[in-house]
Amino acid sequence: MNRWILLILVGLLSVGCQLPEARKPVQRSSGSFIQESAERNKIRYEEEIAGLEALIEQDSSHNYYPTEQGFWYYDQQRDTITSYTPTTGDLVEFTYSVTSTAGEMLISREENGVQQYKVDQSNQDLISGIRQGLKFMKAGEQVTFLFPSYFAYGYYGLQNRVGRNQPVYCSVELISITPDNTNNSNTEQ
C-alpha cells in the first residue's frame, strides 16, 4: 500500500513540476494597419494639395511662387535692393498672423507678438512652415505663405483654434536679421 501511495505521489509531483506551455497568440499582426494608414495619408495629401492648387488658381489678385519644400508664397512687400536672407545661426525678429484658407483670422499678430528665432538652432515652438519660410525673406519684407497642414499644425491642430489637417495662410513680417558673427558666410545685411 505504501508503494502505491509513493508511486501516486511521485506521479503527481512529476506532472505538477512540468513547465507551463506557452499560449499561442490569438491574432497575428500583419502590418496591414500601418500600410492602410499610409495609403489613407497619401490620398489625403493628394486631395489637400489639389485643393490648395485650385485655391491658388482661383486667386487672381496674387502671384504665388512655389517652393521646393512644398508650400507657396506671395509678396505683400518685397525688398528688391537687399540680397541677404537669414542663414543658420542668424537671429531674426518677426511677427506673423494665421488665417484659414477661407479668410478667417485664427491667430492675430497681436496675440503672437514680436518673435525672435535663431535660424535652425532654436527649439522655439514654431510651425515648420514658418521656420522654412523665414529663409526666403529679407529684412523689412512682408510675405504671405500658404502652408499645407503638414507644414502648419498637422494632425492635432491647435487648441480649438486651428483644426486637424487644416492648411493655413501665415502672413509674416521680417523686422530684422542679426547675422551670426561666428558664421563667416554672413558678410552683408
Side-chain angles (χ1 to χ4, degrees):
M1 178 87 164
N2 284 341
R3 272 184 155 172
W4 287 103
I5 294 176
L6 186 60
L7 279 173
I8 291 174
L9 284 175
V10 168
L12 287 174
L13 285 175
S14 66
V15 169
C17 293
Q18 288 181 350
L19 294 175
E21 187 174 323
R23 297 185 304 165
K24 297 198 189 294
V26 175
Q27 189 176 23
R28 295 181 188 200
S29 175
S30 65
S32 64
F33 174 78
I34 293 173
Q35 291 170 342
E36 290 169 6
S37 178
E39 285 302 315
R40 280 192 309 270
N41 284 335
K42 284 180 188 177
I43 291 168
R44 190 191 56 72
Y45 166 80
E46 290 169 1
E47 289 172 351
E48 184 175 334
I49 295 302
L52 293 176
E53 288 173 342
L55 182 72
I56 290 169
E57 196 171 304
Q58 292 172 0
D59 186 358
S60 61
S61 61
H62 298 105
N63 188 16
Y64 287 83
Y65 302 99
T67 66
E68 290 180 8
Q69 289 79 8
F71 57 89
W72 299 264
Y73 68 94
Y74 65 83
D75 303 323
Q76 291 177 305
Q77 179 178 335
R78 199 71 174 165
D79 181 352
T80 57
I81 299 170
T82 307
S83 63
Y84 188 74
T85 57
T87 59
T88 301
D90 290 351
L91 181 66
V92 295
E93 191 171 86
F94 65 98
T95 63
Y96 71 99
S97 63
V98 180
T99 58
S100 71
T101 54
E104 176 190 358
M105 179 62 66
L106 302 172
I107 306 168
S108 70
R109 288 183 192 278
E110 292 74 27
E111 288 177 88
N112 285 322
V114 175
Q115 302 280 315
Q116 290 188 337
Y117 168 64
K118 197 155 187 142
V119 178
D120 292 338
Q121 294 185 340
S122 175
N123 289 331
Q124 186 172 348
D125 191 21
L126 286 175
I127 60 173
S128 63
I130 289 179
R131 291 174 194 244
Q132 294 300 314
L134 286 167
K135 297 175 189 177
F136 289 90
M137 299 178 69
K138 302 171 197 158
E141 290 186 333
Q142 292 180 11
V143 173
T144 297
F145 296 98
L146 175 56
F147 295 128
S149 62
Y150 58 89
F151 270 113
Y153 296 93
Y155 176 76
Y156 293 105
L158 179 65
Q159 304 167 348
N160 300 323
R161 309 216 38 202
V162 180
R164 289 180 175 202
N165 299 319
Q166 182 177 1
V168 296
Y169 282 108
C170 286
S171 180
V172 180
E173 178 183 358
L174 182 54
I175 298 167
S176 66
I177 304 170
T178 304
D180 180 11
N181 293 331
T182 61
N183 187 348
N184 292 334
S185 65
N186 296 335
T187 56
E188 63 173 291
Q189 183 173 1

